[in-house]
Amino acid sequence: MTDDTTAQAVTGFSLEMSEDIRDVRDWAHGFARDVIRPAAAEWDEREETPWPILQEAAKIGLYSLDFFADQWLEPSGIGIPVAFEELYWGDPGIALALTGTGLAAVAVAGNGTQEQLFEWVPQMFGTAEDIKLGAFCSSEPDAGSDVSAIRTRAVYDEAKDEWVLNGTKTWATNGGIADIHVIVASVDPALGSRGQASFIVPPSTPGLSQGQKFAKHGIRASHTAEVVLDDVRVPGGCLLGGKEKLDERLARVREGRRAGGQAAMKTFEKSRPSVGAMAVGCARAAYEYARDYATQREQFGRPIGDNQAIAFTLADMATRIDAARLLVWRASWMARQDKDFAQAEGSMCKLFAAETATWVTQEAIRILGGNGYTRDYPVERWHRDAAIFTIFEGASEIQRLIIGRAVTGLPVR
């Protein structure tokens, strides 16, 4: 390689944010600092959807289809991760109430047609005057990580060109209160996860109801509930991707040929870098609080941060957070460039960021000592919130399984 070629290669690579991304980062950070953080403890205690904060976000365009679409289509791919990191730095529970609709939108974008995307995704956000929500419903009481065990059934009524859905979903963000539900259901149980499809359930469709609302350990400002489907009928056009495409895919499966991605897994694969960014934001919040506390809290006549044990812990916190962010950015860039996660880069970033968040928030409590264990300080709330990142949208064990299969090429069991 010549010197000129080397120079071109170097100048063609940059981790510098564009001015547009910096503006979005500062905008999201300001909202997180001024609106989300002051209300975080209140909504954690109330365990309710923070509608006033959603309204404030909608008024300035932060909760809107335009915001999500602009950041999702941002050329570098890091628009969403940068914004999510700032919002979850503010408070993961409230931030999930603001961003939870995005998973349903991703499900439509990843599995639906362009016409379905334009018809249904706007109805998930509504307007500043009339806020709407979306919910993605995949997990079931006996089918969490094992999506092949999904029992919710979708049966086609050819005479009416309708699909009839029956079953119960669980752990659904915005479940039951959403205006648009995206339901993963089995259309051919004999084919396992390869016989599944995703369906739109429009607003006020008879037969869909909210089941149990869960009282959670963390992210308590985000609504999580069961969704019950009792003879729910939806038009044929509510099958994401359309029936012709489904029939072709099922035919390939029955013939033993490759059928393409499974509905729920395609959605999770696209969303993993975003979840990693959420975890980075939570971890950063705890690290910064513990760092500032360590420089101000004195014991034995000096700041506790002057002790090597504390300083080394803070050093490890900072290093892990930066490493997690870079993994998230890489996976986000790859996804935006339509590059395959050949080495399970999406799972890598989600796994490392999630486990970083749980470790950093735990160490933050230890640095604060007894204060960190009380609700007078936010680190205990962040520690409770961080636990979810190792569980939802693929537990850490599932991410390791995916990574293990990718790096070995073997069917790890």
Side-chain angles (χ1 to χ4, degrees), residues 359-379:
W359 180 80
V360 167
T361 54
Q362 175 181 297
E363 292 304 304
I365 289 177
R366 295 178 64 181
I367 289 174
L368 268 69
N371 287 333
Y373 199 66
T374 70
R375 294 196 177 183
D376 292 334
Y377 291 78
V379 291

Side-chain angles (χ1 to χ4, degrees), residues 27-41:
W27 182 38
H29 182 80
F31 187 83
R33 180 193 62 226
D34 299 336
V35 180
I36 293 178
R37 276 209 173 175

Side-chain angles (χ1 to χ4, degrees), residues 37 60 71 93-94 172 176 182 208 231 285 307 342 370 382 385:
R37 276 209 173 175
I60 64 170
Q71 299 317 306
I94 293 176
V182 180
L208 184 147
D231 284 337
N307 294 308
W382 292 326
D385 292 340

Side-chain angles (χ1 to χ4, degrees), residues 328-346:
V328 167
W329 283 15
R330 179 184 68 170
S332 300
W333 176 83
M334 290 179 67
R336 185 69 186 91
Q337 309 308 317
D338 290 326
K339 295 182 179 294
D340 290 336
F341 289 157
Q343 297 293 302
E345 289 86 352

